[in-house]
Amino acid sequence: IQLTQSPSFLSASVGDRVTITCRASQGISNYLAWYQQKPGKAPKLLISAASTLQSGVPSRFSGSGSGTEFTLTISSLQPEDFATYYCQHLNSYLPGTFGQGTKVEIK
Amino acid sequence: EVQLVESGGGLVQPGGSLRLSCAASGFTFSNYWIHWVRQAPGKGLVWVSNINYDGGSTTYADSVKGRFTISRDNAKNTLYLQLNSLRAEDTAVYYCARRSGTGPLYGLDVWGQGTTVTVSS
Protein backbone atom coordinates (compact mmCIF):
# COMPACT_ATOMS: atom_id res chain seq x y z
CA ILE A 1 0.00 0.00 0.00
CA GLN A 2 1.34 3.43 -0.93
CA LEU A 3 0.22 6.73 0.57
CA THR A 4 0.42 9.95 -1.45
CA GLN A 5 0.03 13.27 0.30
CA SER A 6 -0.89 16.55 -1.33
CA PRO A 7 0.32 19.16 -1.39
CA SER A 8 3.96 18.44 -0.50
CA PHE A 9 4.36 22.03 0.59
CA LEU A 10 1.96 24.78 1.50
CA SER A 11 2.36 28.34 2.60
CA ALA A 12 -0.35 29.74 4.86
CA SER A 13 -1.04 32.53 7.31
CA VAL A 14 -2.04 32.41 10.96
CA GLY A 15 -5.79 31.97 11.11
CA ASP A 16 -6.06 30.19 7.75
CA ARG A 17 -7.99 26.96 7.31
CA VAL A 18 -5.61 24.31 6.00
CA THR A 19 -6.44 20.94 4.45
CA ILE A 20 -3.97 18.16 3.66
CA THR A 21 -4.99 15.12 1.64
CA CYS A 22 -3.66 11.58 1.86
CA ARG A 23 -4.59 9.06 -0.83
CA ALA A 24 -4.04 5.32 -0.45
CA SER A 25 -3.23 3.08 -3.40
CA GLN A 26 -5.93 0.67 -2.23
CA GLY A 27 -8.72 0.75 0.30
CA ILE A 28 -7.59 0.80 3.91
CA SER A 29 -10.92 1.34 5.67
CA ASN A 30 -10.20 3.92 8.39
CA TYR A 31 -6.78 2.54 9.28
CA LEU A 32 -4.94 5.84 9.02
CA ALA A 33 -3.04 8.03 11.46
CA TRP A 34 -1.72 11.59 11.21
CA TYR A 35 1.46 12.93 12.80
CA GLN A 36 3.03 16.34 13.27
CA GLN A 37 6.80 16.72 13.26
CA LYS A 38 8.82 19.81 14.10
CA PRO A 39 12.50 20.17 13.14
CA GLY A 40 14.82 18.09 15.29
CA LYS A 41 11.95 16.49 17.17
CA ALA A 42 10.22 13.11 17.12
CA PRO A 43 6.82 12.92 15.45
CA LYS A 44 3.70 13.47 17.53
CA LEU A 45 0.53 11.45 17.01
CA LEU A 46 -2.42 13.74 16.28
CA ILE A 47 -5.17 11.47 14.97
CA SER A 48 -5.73 7.73 14.75
CA ALA A 49 -8.45 5.67 13.08
CA ALA A 50 -8.75 8.49 10.52
CA SER A 51 -10.73 10.79 12.80
CA THR A 52 -10.02 10.08 16.49
CA LEU A 53 -8.23 13.01 18.07
CA GLN A 54 -5.53 12.04 20.53
CA SER A 55 -5.80 13.30 24.09
CA GLY A 56 -4.31 16.76 24.47
CA VAL A 57 -4.42 17.62 20.76
CA PRO A 58 -6.23 20.91 20.12
CA SER A 59 -9.71 20.65 18.65
CA ARG A 60 -8.73 22.81 15.66
CA PHE A 61 -7.23 19.59 14.27
CA SER A 62 -9.62 17.14 12.65
CA GLY A 63 -9.42 14.13 10.38
CA SER A 64 -11.86 12.51 8.03
CA GLY A 65 -12.09 9.93 5.29
CA SER A 66 -12.30 6.25 4.65
CA GLY A 67 -11.22 3.83 1.98
CA THR A 68 -8.66 5.60 -0.19
CA GLU A 69 -9.03 9.31 0.53
CA PHE A 70 -8.36 11.04 3.82
CA THR A 71 -7.97 14.63 4.97
CA LEU A 72 -6.35 16.42 7.87
CA THR A 73 -7.83 19.85 8.52
CA ILE A 74 -6.54 22.62 10.74
CA SER A 75 -9.46 24.98 11.20
CA SER A 76 -7.47 28.06 12.23
CA LEU A 77 -3.71 27.79 11.83
CA GLN A 78 -1.71 28.85 14.86
CA PRO A 79 2.00 29.77 15.02
CA GLU A 80 2.85 26.48 16.75
CA ASP A 81 1.24 24.49 13.89
CA PHE A 82 3.96 25.29 11.38
CA ALA A 83 5.52 21.86 10.95
CA THR A 84 5.58 18.84 8.66
CA TYR A 85 2.59 16.50 8.68
CA TYR A 86 2.60 12.81 7.78
CA CYS A 87 -0.12 10.26 7.24
CA GLN A 88 0.55 6.62 8.10
CA HIS A 89 -1.03 3.25 7.58
CA LEU A 90 -0.03 0.41 9.90
CA ASN A 91 -0.94 -3.22 9.40
CA SER A 92 0.49 -5.34 12.18
CA TYR A 93 1.62 -8.24 9.98
CA LEU A 94 2.58 -6.32 6.84
CA PRO A 95 5.10 -3.53 6.33
CA GLY A 96 3.87 -0.13 7.44
CA THR A 97 3.94 2.98 5.30
CA PHE A 98 4.08 6.76 5.62
CA GLY A 99 3.09 9.45 3.20
CA GLN A 100 5.92 11.62 1.93
CA GLY A 101 4.97 14.52 4.18
CA THR A 102 3.44 17.98 3.84
CA LYS A 103 5.46 20.94 5.07
CA VAL A 104 3.34 23.83 6.32
CA GLU A 105 5.23 27.12 6.31
CA ILE A 106 4.39 30.69 7.20
CA LYS A 107 3.29 32.89 4.30
CA GLU B 1 6.73 9.28 32.99
CA VAL B 2 6.10 7.16 29.94
CA GLN B 3 9.18 7.23 27.76
CA LEU B 4 11.39 5.47 25.27
CA VAL B 5 15.12 6.18 25.08
CA GLU B 6 17.22 5.01 22.14
CA SER B 7 20.96 4.45 22.18
CA GLY B 8 23.67 2.73 20.18
CA GLY B 9 23.90 4.93 17.13
CA GLY B 10 27.20 6.08 15.68
CA LEU B 11 29.51 6.17 12.70
CA VAL B 12 30.11 2.86 10.95
CA GLN B 13 31.76 1.87 7.69
CA PRO B 14 29.77 0.38 4.82
CA GLY B 15 29.29 -3.33 5.43
CA GLY B 16 29.59 -2.87 9.17
CA SER B 17 27.17 -3.58 12.00
CA LEU B 18 25.52 -1.77 14.90
CA ARG B 19 23.02 -2.68 17.58
CA LEU B 20 20.48 -0.09 18.58
CA SER B 21 18.67 -0.26 21.90
CA CYS B 22 15.42 1.30 23.06
CA ALA B 23 14.81 1.38 26.80
CA ALA B 24 11.21 1.70 27.95
CA SER B 25 9.94 3.07 31.24
CA GLY B 26 6.72 4.25 32.82
CA PHE B 27 4.49 1.60 31.22
CA THR B 28 4.13 -2.17 30.97
CA PHE B 29 6.48 -2.80 28.07
CA SER B 30 5.32 -6.35 27.41
CA ASN B 31 1.77 -5.15 26.65
CA TYR B 32 2.74 -3.25 23.50
CA TRP B 33 3.87 -3.78 19.95
CA ILE B 34 6.94 -1.64 19.27
CA HIS B 35 8.12 -0.21 15.94
CA TRP B 36 11.31 1.22 14.48
CA VAL B 37 11.01 4.21 12.13
CA ARG B 38 13.90 6.02 10.47
CA GLN B 39 14.43 9.40 8.86
CA ALA B 40 17.32 10.17 6.54
CA PRO B 41 18.71 13.72 6.72
CA GLY B 42 16.20 16.16 5.25
CA LYS B 43 13.85 13.37 4.22
CA GLY B 44 10.55 11.90 5.38
CA LEU B 45 9.66 9.18 7.84
CA VAL B 46 10.19 5.58 6.77
CA TRP B 47 8.79 2.58 8.63
CA VAL B 48 11.47 -0.05 9.30
CA SER B 49 10.22 -2.90 11.47
CA ASN B 50 7.88 -4.00 14.22
CA ILE B 51 7.64 -6.69 16.87
CA ASN B 52 4.71 -8.06 18.81
CA TYR B 53 4.34 -8.39 22.57
CA ASP B 54 6.53 -11.43 23.15
CA GLY B 55 8.80 -11.22 20.11
CA GLY B 56 7.09 -14.10 18.37
CA SER B 57 6.06 -11.99 15.36
CA THR B 58 8.28 -9.57 13.47
CA THR B 59 7.87 -7.66 10.22
CA TYR B 60 10.39 -5.72 8.13
CA ALA B 61 10.48 -3.22 5.31
CA ASP B 62 11.76 -4.77 2.09
CA SER B 63 14.75 -2.40 2.15
CA VAL B 64 16.10 -3.93 5.39
CA LYS B 65 14.82 -7.50 5.25
CA GLY B 66 17.65 -9.98 5.73
CA ARG B 67 20.00 -7.30 7.07
CA PHE B 68 18.21 -5.97 10.17
CA THR B 69 16.85 -7.98 13.08
CA ILE B 70 14.38 -6.69 15.65
CA SER B 71 14.15 -8.31 19.08
CA ARG B 72 13.04 -7.51 22.60
CA ASP B 73 13.81 -8.46 26.18
CA ASN B 74 10.68 -7.90 28.23
CA ALA B 75 12.52 -8.65 31.48
CA LYS B 76 14.80 -5.68 30.73
CA ASN B 77 12.08 -3.52 29.16
CA THR B 78 14.32 -3.10 26.14
CA LEU B 79 13.90 -3.31 22.37
CA TYR B 80 16.78 -3.94 20.02
CA LEU B 81 17.55 -3.48 16.34
CA GLN B 82 20.58 -5.29 14.98
CA LEU B 83 21.83 -3.60 11.83
CA ASN B 84 24.12 -5.67 9.61
CA SER B 85 25.58 -5.15 6.13
CA LEU B 86 25.04 -1.43 6.48
CA ARG B 87 24.85 0.79 3.41
CA ALA B 88 25.16 4.52 2.94
CA GLU B 89 21.41 4.70 2.39
CA ASP B 90 20.84 3.39 5.93
CA THR B 91 22.16 6.70 7.27
CA ALA B 92 19.30 8.15 9.32
CA VAL B 93 17.89 8.98 12.70
CA TYR B 94 16.30 5.83 14.07
CA TYR B 95 13.26 6.15 16.32
CA CYS B 96 11.54 3.49 18.37
CA ALA B 97 7.84 4.03 18.94
CA ARG B 98 5.03 2.34 20.86
CA ARG B 99 1.78 1.37 19.19
CA SER B 100 -1.04 2.56 21.43
CA GLY B 101 -3.24 -0.48 20.99
CA THR B 102 -3.80 -3.73 19.15
CA GLY B 103 -4.73 -3.59 15.51
CA PRO B 104 -4.57 -1.13 12.63
CA LEU B 105 -6.84 1.46 14.26
CA TYR B 106 -4.04 2.56 16.54
CA GLY B 107 -1.10 4.83 15.83
CA LEU B 108 2.33 5.30 17.40
CA ASP B 109 1.67 7.35 20.51
CA VAL B 110 5.04 7.34 22.32
CA TRP B 111 8.33 7.99 20.52
CA GLY B 112 11.92 8.09 21.61
CA GLN B 113 14.20 11.01 20.87
CA GLY B 114 16.03 9.10 18.15
CA THR B 115 19.57 7.82 17.70
CA THR B 116 21.70 8.74 14.69
CA VAL B 117 23.34 6.13 12.47
CA THR B 118 25.87 7.34 9.92
CA VAL B 119 27.26 4.89 7.38
CA SER B 120 30.36 6.28 5.73
CA SER B 121 33.94 5.37 4.96
Side-chain angles (χ1 to χ4, degrees), chain B residues 76-109:
Chain B
K76 296 183 177 179
N77 292 332
T78 302
L79 173 78
Y80 303 100
L81 187 67
Q82 178 69 40
L83 288 63
N84 295 332
S85 303
L86 282 161
R87 307 165 179 166
E89 55 265 34
D90 295 319
T91 294
V93 175
Y94 285 73
Y95 296 101
C96 58
R98 182 186 85 168
R99 188 164 201 175
S100 59
T102 301
L105 287 173
Y106 298 92
L108 304 178
D109 67 336

mmCIF file of all heavy atoms in Angstrom, chain B residues 76-109:
data_model
loop_
_atom_site.group_PDB
_atom_site.id
_atom_site.type_symbol
_atom_site.label_atom_id
_atom_site.label_comp_id
_atom_site.label_asym_id
_atom_site.label_seq_id
_atom_site.Cartn_x
_atom_site.Cartn_y
_atom_site.Cartn_z
ATOM 1 N N LYS B 76 13.971 -6.902 30.638
ATOM 2 C CA LYS B 76 14.798 -5.684 30.733
ATOM 3 C C LYS B 76 14.089 -4.464 30.170
ATOM 4 O O LYS B 76 14.683 -3.381 30.100
ATOM 5 C CB LYS B 76 16.126 -5.897 29.996
ATOM 6 C CG LYS B 76 17.012 -6.973 30.605
ATOM 7 C CD LYS B 76 18.332 -7.073 29.855
ATOM 8 C CE LYS B 76 19.249 -8.105 30.506
ATOM 9 N NZ LYS B 76 20.543 -8.250 29.786
ATOM 10 N N ASN B 77 12.840 -4.635 29.740
ATOM 11 C CA ASN B 77 12.079 -3.518 29.157
ATOM 12 C C ASN B 77 12.856 -2.842 28.025
ATOM 13 O O ASN B 77 12.896 -1.600 27.934
ATOM 14 C CB ASN B 77 11.729 -2.482 30.227
ATOM 15 C CG ASN B 77 10.724 -3.009 31.236
ATOM 16 O OD1 ASN B 77 9.910 -3.877 30.917
ATOM 17 N ND2 ASN B 77 10.789 -2.507 32.449
ATOM 18 N N THR B 78 13.449 -3.648 27.189
ATOM 19 C CA THR B 78 14.325 -3.102 26.142
ATOM 20 C C THR B 78 14.052 -3.756 24.793
ATOM 21 O O THR B 78 13.856 -4.964 24.695
ATOM 22 C CB THR B 78 15.801 -3.284 26.519
ATOM 23 O OG1 THR B 78 16.055 -2.646 27.775
ATOM 24 C CG2 THR B 78 16.715 -2.665 25.468
ATOM 25 N N LEU B 79 14.044 -2.919 23.773
ATOM 26 C CA LEU B 79 13.903 -3.311 22.373
ATOM 27 C C LEU B 79 15.256 -3.154 21.707
ATOM 28 O O LEU B 79 16.033 -2.269 22.080
ATOM 29 C CB LEU B 79 12.898 -2.395 21.699
ATOM 30 C CG LEU B 79 12.697 -2.503 20.199
ATOM 31 C CD1 LEU B 79 11.830 -3.720 19.870
ATOM 32 C CD2 LEU B 79 12.042 -1.237 19.646
ATOM 33 N N TYR B 80 15.510 -4.011 20.733
ATOM 34 C CA TYR B 80 16.780 -3.937 20.017
ATOM 35 C C TYR B 80 16.541 -3.917 18.508
ATOM 36 O O TYR B 80 15.529 -4.410 18.019
ATOM 37 C CB TYR B 80 17.657 -5.143 20.355
ATOM 38 C CG TYR B 80 17.946 -5.309 21.827
ATOM 39 C CD1 TYR B 80 17.238 -6.225 22.602
ATOM 40 C CD2 TYR B 80 18.922 -4.524 22.443
ATOM 41 C CE1 TYR B 80 17.494 -6.370 23.950
ATOM 42 C CE2 TYR B 80 19.182 -4.668 23.797
ATOM 43 C CZ TYR B 80 18.463 -5.584 24.548
ATOM 44 O OH TYR B 80 18.717 -5.724 25.890
ATOM 45 N N LEU B 81 17.516 -3.363 17.788
ATOM 46 C CA LEU B 81 17.550 -3.482 16.338
ATOM 47 C C LEU B 81 18.998 -3.738 15.953
ATOM 48 O O LEU B 81 19.857 -2.876 16.157
ATOM 49 C CB LEU B 81 17.014 -2.230 15.644
ATOM 50 C CG LEU B 81 16.864 -2.357 14.129
ATOM 51 C CD1 LEU B 81 15.755 -3.367 13.781
ATOM 52 C CD2 LEU B 81 16.558 -1.006 13.480
ATOM 53 N N GLN B 82 19.257 -4.937 15.458
ATOM 54 C CA GLN B 82 20.578 -5.293 14.979
ATOM 55 C C GLN B 82 20.677 -4.912 13.513
ATOM 56 O O GLN B 82 19.866 -5.383 12.699
ATOM 57 C CB GLN B 82 20.826 -6.794 15.160
ATOM 58 C CG GLN B 82 22.160 -7.284 14.645
ATOM 59 C CD GLN B 82 23.333 -6.771 15.462
ATOM 60 O OE1 GLN B 82 23.270 -6.705 16.691
ATOM 61 N NE2 GLN B 82 24.418 -6.406 14.788
ATOM 62 N N LEU B 83 21.642 -4.086 13.194
ATOM 63 C CA LEU B 83 21.828 -3.596 11.831
ATOM 64 C C LEU B 83 23.106 -4.213 11.273
ATOM 65 O O LEU B 83 24.203 -3.971 11.784
ATOM 66 C CB LEU B 83 21.959 -2.078 11.813
ATOM 67 C CG LEU B 83 20.748 -1.194 12.073
ATOM 68 C CD1 LEU B 83 20.171 -1.378 13.459
ATOM 69 C CD2 LEU B 83 21.096 0.276 11.852
ATOM 70 N N ASN B 84 22.976 -5.041 10.255
ATOM 71 C CA ASN B 84 24.119 -5.667 9.605
ATOM 72 C C ASN B 84 24.209 -5.228 8.140
ATOM 73 O O ASN B 84 23.236 -4.715 7.589
ATOM 74 C CB ASN B 84 24.001 -7.195 9.668
ATOM 75 C CG ASN B 84 24.066 -7.740 11.081
ATOM 76 O OD1 ASN B 84 24.680 -7.140 11.968
ATOM 77 N ND2 ASN B 84 23.433 -8.883 11.301
ATOM 78 N N SER B 85 25.367 -5.458 7.548
ATOM 79 C CA SER B 85 25.584 -5.146 6.129
ATOM 80 C C SER B 85 25.120 -3.737 5.801
ATOM 81 O O SER B 85 24.388 -3.507 4.831
ATOM 82 C CB SER B 85 24.860 -6.160 5.244
ATOM 83 O OG SER B 85 25.276 -7.478 5.530
ATOM 84 N N LEU B 86 25.535 -2.796 6.614
ATOM 85 C CA LEU B 86 25.038 -1.425 6.484
ATOM 86 C C LEU B 86 25.505 -0.772 5.199
ATOM 87 O O LEU B 86 26.616 -1.004 4.703
ATOM 88 C CB LEU B 86 25.456 -0.601 7.696
ATOM 89 C CG LEU B 86 24.582 -0.871 8.931
ATOM 90 C CD1 LEU B 86 25.288 -0.406 10.200
ATOM 91 C CD2 LEU B 86 23.236 -0.201 8.782
ATOM 92 N N ARG B 87 24.612 0.064 4.658
ATOM 93 C CA ARG B 87 24.847 0.789 3.410
ATOM 94 C C ARG B 87 24.728 2.276 3.686
ATOM 95 O O ARG B 87 24.113 2.692 4.674
ATOM 96 C CB ARG B 87 23.805 0.379 2.372
ATOM 97 C CG ARG B 87 23.686 -1.107 2.147
ATOM 98 C CD ARG B 87 22.407 -1.422 1.392
ATOM 99 N NE ARG B 87 22.254 -2.858 1.119
ATOM 100 C CZ ARG B 87 21.129 -3.424 0.722
ATOM 101 N NH1 ARG B 87 20.060 -2.675 0.506
ATOM 102 N NH2 ARG B 87 21.085 -4.726 0.523
ATOM 103 N N ALA B 88 25.257 3.074 2.784
ATOM 104 C CA ALA B 88 25.158 4.525 2.943
ATOM 105 C C ALA B 88 23.704 4.982 3.065
ATOM 106 O O ALA B 88 23.395 5.904 3.830
ATOM 107 C CB ALA B 88 25.830 5.219 1.755
ATOM 108 N N GLU B 89 22.822 4.311 2.358
ATOM 109 C CA GLU B 89 21.410 4.704 2.393
ATOM 110 C C GLU B 89 20.703 4.349 3.699
ATOM 111 O O GLU B 89 19.540 4.695 3.892
ATOM 112 C CB GLU B 89 20.650 4.102 1.204
ATOM 113 C CG GLU B 89 20.751 2.608 1.068
ATOM 114 C CD GLU B 89 21.854 2.170 0.102
ATOM 115 O OE1 GLU B 89 22.906 2.864 0.034
ATOM 116 O OE2 GLU B 89 21.660 1.143 -0.572
ATOM 117 N N ASP B 90 21.394 3.666 4.600
ATOM 118 C CA ASP B 90 20.841 3.395 5.930
ATOM 119 C C ASP B 90 21.118 4.553 6.901
ATOM 120 O O ASP B 90 20.644 4.529 8.044
ATOM 121 C CB ASP B 90 21.438 2.114 6.519
ATOM 122 C CG ASP B 90 21.066 0.878 5.727
ATOM 123 O OD1 ASP B 90 19.895 0.773 5.296
ATOM 124 O OD2 ASP B 90 21.949 0.023 5.519
ATOM 125 N N THR B 91 21.883 5.532 6.450
ATOM 126 C CA THR B 91 22.163 6.701 7.275
ATOM 127 C C THR B 91 20.862 7.421 7.608
ATOM 128 O O THR B 91 20.112 7.815 6.706
ATOM 129 C CB THR B 91 23.121 7.656 6.552
ATOM 130 O OG1 THR B 91 24.389 7.017 6.399
ATOM 131 C CG2 THR B 91 23.290 8.956 7.321
ATOM 132 N N ALA B 92 20.584 7.571 8.898
ATOM 133 C CA ALA B 92 19.302 8.152 9.321
ATOM 134 C C ALA B 92 19.273 8.299 10.834
ATOM 135 O O ALA B 92 20.117 7.737 11.543
ATOM 136 C CB ALA B 92 18.146 7.251 8.884
ATOM 137 N N VAL B 93 18.285 9.036 11.296
ATOM 138 C CA VAL B 93 17.891 8.984 12.702
ATOM 139 C C VAL B 93 16.902 7.825 12.846
ATOM 140 O O VAL B 93 15.956 7.723 12.066
ATOM 141 C CB VAL B 93 17.242 10.297 13.160
ATOM 142 C CG1 VAL B 93 16.736 10.179 14.590
ATOM 143 C CG2 VAL B 93 18.234 11.456 13.031
ATOM 144 N N TYR B 94 17.164 6.977 13.812
ATOM 145 C CA TYR B 94 16.300 5.826 14.065
ATOM 146 C C TYR B 94 15.488 6.075 15.340
ATOM 147 O O TYR B 94 16.049 6.363 16.400
ATOM 148 C CB TYR B 94 17.133 4.556 14.211
ATOM 149 C CG TYR B 94 17.657 4.050 12.886
ATOM 150 C CD1 TYR B 94 18.695 4.705 12.234
ATOM 151 C CD2 TYR B 94 17.094 2.941 12.267
ATOM 152 C CE1 TYR B 94 19.170 4.273 11.009
ATOM 153 C CE2 TYR B 94 17.563 2.485 11.040
ATOM 154 C CZ TYR B 94 18.593 3.161 10.419
ATOM 155 O OH TYR B 94 19.056 2.715 9.197
ATOM 156 N N TYR B 95 14.178 5.976 15.196
ATOM 157 C CA TYR B 95 13.256 6.151 16.318
ATOM 158 C C TYR B 95 12.608 4.810 16.666
ATOM 159 O O TYR B 95 12.210 4.066 15.762
ATOM 160 C CB TYR B 95 12.127 7.112 15.959
ATOM 161 C CG TYR B 95 12.503 8.523 15.653
ATOM 162 C CD1 TYR B 95 12.597 8.976 14.342
ATOM 163 C CD2 TYR B 95 12.715 9.449 16.678
ATOM 164 C CE1 TYR B 95 12.899 10.298 14.050
ATOM 165 C CE2 TYR B 95 13.022 10.778 16.390
ATOM 166 C CZ TYR B 95 13.113 11.189 15.078
ATOM 167 O OH TYR B 95 13.421 12.497 14.812
ATOM 168 N N CYS B 96 12.448 4.548 17.955
ATOM 169 C CA CYS B 96 11.540 3.491 18.366
ATOM 170 C C CYS B 96 10.236 4.153 18.808
ATOM 171 O O CYS B 96 10.239 5.309 19.272
ATOM 172 C CB CYS B 96 12.113 2.623 19.479
ATOM 173 S SG CYS B 96 12.573 3.484 20.992
ATOM 174 N N ALA B 97 9.137 3.441 18.640
ATOM 175 C CA ALA B 97 7.839 4.026 18.943
ATOM 176 C C ALA B 97 6.878 2.936 19.379
ATOM 177 O O ALA B 97 6.900 1.819 18.842
ATOM 178 C CB ALA B 97 7.292 4.769 17.728
ATOM 179 N N ARG B 98 6.012 3.269 20.313
ATOM 180 C CA ARG B 98 5.035 2.341 20.859
ATOM 181 C C ARG B 98 3.718 2.473 20.121
ATOM 182 O O ARG B 98 3.231 3.589 19.879
ATOM 183 C CB ARG B 98 4.809 2.667 22.341
ATOM 184 C CG ARG B 98 3.852 1.768 23.063
ATOM 185 C CD ARG B 98 3.579 2.269 24.471
ATOM 186 N NE ARG B 98 2.531 3.274 24.506
ATOM 187 C CZ ARG B 98 1.955 3.706 25.623
ATOM 188 N NH1 ARG B 98 2.374 3.226 26.799
ATOM 189 N NH2 ARG B 98 1.015 4.617 25.590
ATOM 190 N N ARG B 99 3.126 1.329 19.756
ATOM 191 C CA ARG B 99 1.783 1.374 19.188
ATOM 192 C C ARG B 99 0.794 1.379 20.341
ATOM 193 O O ARG B 99 0.888 0.564 21.248
ATOM 194 C CB ARG B 99 1.532 0.181 18.296
ATOM 195 C CG ARG B 99 0.216 0.292 17.535
ATOM 196 C CD ARG B 99 0.137 -0.654 16.402
ATOM 197 N NE ARG B 99 -0.847 -0.207 15.432
ATOM 198 C CZ ARG B 99 -1.053 -0.788 14.294
ATOM 199 N NH1 ARG B 99 -0.342 -1.851 13.946
ATOM 200 N NH2 ARG B 99 -1.962 -0.341 13.463
ATOM 201 N N SER B 100 -0.186 2.295 20.269
ATOM 202 C CA SER B 100 -1.036 2.565 21.427
ATOM 203 C C SER B 100 -2.040 1.461 21.706
ATOM 204 O O SER B 100 -2.602 1.423 22.804
ATOM 205 C CB SER B 100 -1.772 3.892 21.239
ATOM 206 O OG SER B 100 -2.554 3.866 20.074
ATOM 207 N N GLY B 101 -2.295 0.595 20.752
ATOM 208 C CA GLY B 101 -3.238 -0.480 20.987
ATOM 209 C C GLY B 101 -3.058 -1.579 19.963
ATOM 210 O O GLY B 101 -2.179 -1.491 19.091
ATOM 211 N N THR B 102 -3.907 -2.580 20.057
ATOM 212 C CA THR B 102 -3.804 -3.728 19.152
ATOM 213 C C THR B 102 -4.614 -3.484 17.896
ATOM 214 O O THR B 102 -5.783 -3.113 17.973
ATOM 215 C CB THR B 102 -4.309 -5.000 19.850
ATOM 216 O OG1 THR B 102 -3.527 -5.215 21.022
ATOM 217 C CG2 THR B 102 -4.170 -6.198 18.927
ATOM 218 N N GLY B 103 -3.986 -3.696 16.751
ATOM 219 C CA GLY B 103 -4.726 -3.594 15.509
ATOM 220 C C GLY B 103 -4.459 -2.308 14.758
ATOM 221 O O GLY B 103 -3.886 -1.351 15.306
ATOM 222 N N PRO B 104 -4.922 -2.238 13.507
ATOM 223 C CA PRO B 104 -4.571 -1.126 12.626
ATOM 224 C C PRO B 104 -5.293 0.186 12.924
ATOM 225 O O PRO B 104 -5.012 1.202 12.283
ATOM 226 C CB PRO B 104 -4.955 -1.653 11.240
ATOM 227 C CG PRO B 104 -6.012 -2.662 11.500
ATOM 228 C CD PRO B 104 -5.664 -3.302 12.807
ATOM 229 N N LEU B 105 -6.183 0.199 13.896
ATOM 230 C CA LEU B 105 -6.840 1.460 14.257
ATOM 231 C C LEU B 105 -5.945 2.365 15.083
ATOM 232 O O LEU B 105 -6.241 3.539 15.266
ATOM 233 C CB LEU B 105 -8.122 1.172 15.044
ATOM 234 C CG LEU B 105 -9.295 0.611 14.251
ATOM 235 C CD1 LEU B 105 -10.421 0.227 15.196
ATOM 236 C CD2 LEU B 105 -9.790 1.623 13.226
ATOM 237 N N TYR B 106 -4.858 1.828 15.576
ATOM 238 C CA TYR B 106 -4.039 2.562 16.541
ATOM 239 C C TYR B 106 -2.745 3.063 15.912
ATOM 240 O O TYR B 106 -2.107 2.375 15.126
ATOM 241 C CB TYR B 106 -3.727 1.679 17.748
ATOM 242 C CG TYR B 106 -4.968 1.275 18.488
ATOM 243 C CD1 TYR B 106 -5.631 0.100 18.179
ATOM 244 C CD2 TYR B 106 -5.508 2.102 19.471
ATOM 245 C CE1 TYR B 106 -6.793 -0.255 18.831
ATOM 246 C CE2 TYR B 106 -6.662 1.751 20.135
ATOM 247 C CZ TYR B 106 -7.299 0.574 19.805
ATOM 248 O OH TYR B 106 -8.449 0.231 20.461
ATOM 249 N N GLY B 107 -2.338 4.265 16.322
ATOM 250 C CA GLY B 107 -1.097 4.834 15.835
ATOM 251 C C GLY B 107 0.025 4.683 16.843
ATOM 252 O O GLY B 107 -0.113 4.008 17.867
ATOM 253 N N LEU B 108 1.143 5.345 16.552
ATOM 254 C CA LEU B 108 2.327 5.296 17.402
ATOM 255 C C LEU B 108 2.295 6.497 18.332
ATOM 256 O O LEU B 108 2.532 7.630 17.896
ATOM 257 C CB LEU B 108 3.592 5.292 16.537
ATOM 258 C CG LEU B 108 3.648 4.170 15.494
ATOM 259 C CD1 LEU B 108 4.914 4.292 14.651
ATOM 260 C CD2 LEU B 108 3.578 2.815 16.163
ATOM 261 N N ASP B 109 1.977 6.234 19.617
ATOM 262 C CA ASP B 109 1.674 7.348 20.514
ATOM 263 C C ASP B 109 2.844 7.781 21.392
ATOM 264 O O ASP B 109 2.792 8.861 21.974
ATOM 265 C CB ASP B 109 0.470 7.010 21.400
ATOM 266 C CG ASP B 109 0.752 5.886 22.391
ATOM 267 O OD1 ASP B 109 1.669 5.069 22.138
ATOM 268 O OD2 ASP B 109 0.051 5.830 23.421
#
